[in-house]
C-alpha cells in the first residue's frame, strides 16, 4: 500500500467509526468491506490509529470506536498517526548531483528550504480540517 492510500484509508476508517458509532459491527472485516480491502490492511492501519490515541480497540471484542470526539481529530493528527513521512521528509531531492556544477553544488540546499516550506504549508492545511468536517461533507454528499 502506498503512503497516500494509507492516509486515506485511515480517514475512511475513522469516518466509518463515527458514522457507524451506534453499531457493534465495526470489526476489521466490516470496515474492510467498506474500504474494499483486506482485513489485515485494516488491522495494520487500526493499530497505528490506536497507537496515536485516535481509536479504542479491545482484544477479543469485536469492534472499534473513536477515542476522541470528531472536532478534536484533525487530518494532521491522522497524517502523523499513519507515519506518512518523517519530519521534513515529504519531498526528497536527487542524490549525488555534480559538485563541479553551480547547480549541482547548490541545488540540494536550495530545494531543502523550499520543500520544507511546502511541507509546512500542506501540514497547516491538514491541521485546520477536522474529522467532523469530513463526516459532515460525507453526510451532505449522501443526501444530494
Amino acid at each position: 500500500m502506498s503512503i497516500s492510500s494509507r492516509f486515506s484509508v485511515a480517514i475512511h476508517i475513522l469516518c466509518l467509526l463515527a458514522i457507524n458509532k451506534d453499531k457493534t459491527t465495526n470489526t476489521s472485516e466490516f470496515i474492510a468491506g467498506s474500504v474494499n480491502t483486506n482485513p489485515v490492511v485494516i488491522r495494520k492501519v487500526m493499530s497505528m490509529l490506536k497507537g496515536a490515541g485516535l481509536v479504542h480497540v479491545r482484544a477479543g471484542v469485536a469492534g472499534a470506536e473513536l477515542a476522541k470526539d470528531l472536532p478534536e481529530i484533525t487530518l494532521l493528527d491522522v497524517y502523523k498517526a499513519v507515519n506518512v513521512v518523517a519530519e521534513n521528509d515529504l519531498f526528497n531531492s536527487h542524490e549525488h548531483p555534480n559538485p563541479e556544477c553551480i547547480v549541482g553544488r547548490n541545488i540540494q540546499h536550495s530545494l531543502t528550504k523550499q520543500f520544507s516550506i511546502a511541507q509546512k504549508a500542506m501540514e497547516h492545511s491538514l491541521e485546520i480540517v477536522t474529522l467532523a468536517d469530513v463526516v459532515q461533507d460525507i453526510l451532505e454528499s449522501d443526501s444530494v
Side-chain angles (χ1 to χ4, degrees):
M1 179 186 340
S2 75
I3 290 171
S4 60
S5 69
R6 187 169 59 227
F7 180 45
S8 65
V9 166
I11 295 169
H12 188 133
I13 291 169
L14 294 168
C15 289
L16 184 61
L17 293 178
I19 291 170
N20 203 38
K21 68 181 173 202
D22 297 326
K23 309 280 193 297
T24 58
T25 56
N26 292 325
T27 63
S28 56
E29 289 77 15
F30 173 77
I31 297 167
S34 178
V35 176
N36 201 21
T37 192
N38 189 299
V40 173
V41 172
I42 299 303
R43 286 190 285 273
K44 179 179 179 178
V45 174
M46 193 77 79
S47 175
M48 298 170 110
L49 294 171
K50 179 182 178 184
L54 300 179
V55 296
H56 293 300
V57 181
R58 295 175 303 277
V61 178
E65 61 188 17
L66 294 176
K68 297 180 176 184
D69 292 332
L70 289 178
E72 297 175 10
I73 303 171
T74 68
L75 293 186
L76 183 60
D77 296 329
V78 181
Y79 174 84
K80 288 181 175 181
V82 296
N83 300 318
V84 174
V85 294
E87 187 76 24
N88 291 321
D89 206 22
L90 180 61
F91 302 102
N92 289 310
S93 58
H94 55 293
E95 294 181 18
H96 313 297
N98 183 351
E100 302 299 317
C101 170
I102 186 172
V103 175
R105 213 173 21 253
N106 297 291
I107 190 72
Q108 290 176 325
H109 175 72
S110 180
L111 288 180
T112 298
K113 290 189 298 188
Q114 300 308 315
F115 289 166
S116 178
I117 292 167
Q119 182 169 347
K120 283 178 182 17
M122 188 259 329
E123 289 177 358
H124 175 70
S125 70
L126 294 176
E127 189 174 35
I128 61 175
V129 178
T130 68
L131 274 186
D133 299 324
V134 178
V135 167
Q136 180 180 349
D137 189 50
I138 290 169
L139 294 174
E140 288 173 359
S141 294
D142 197 53
S143 65
V144 173

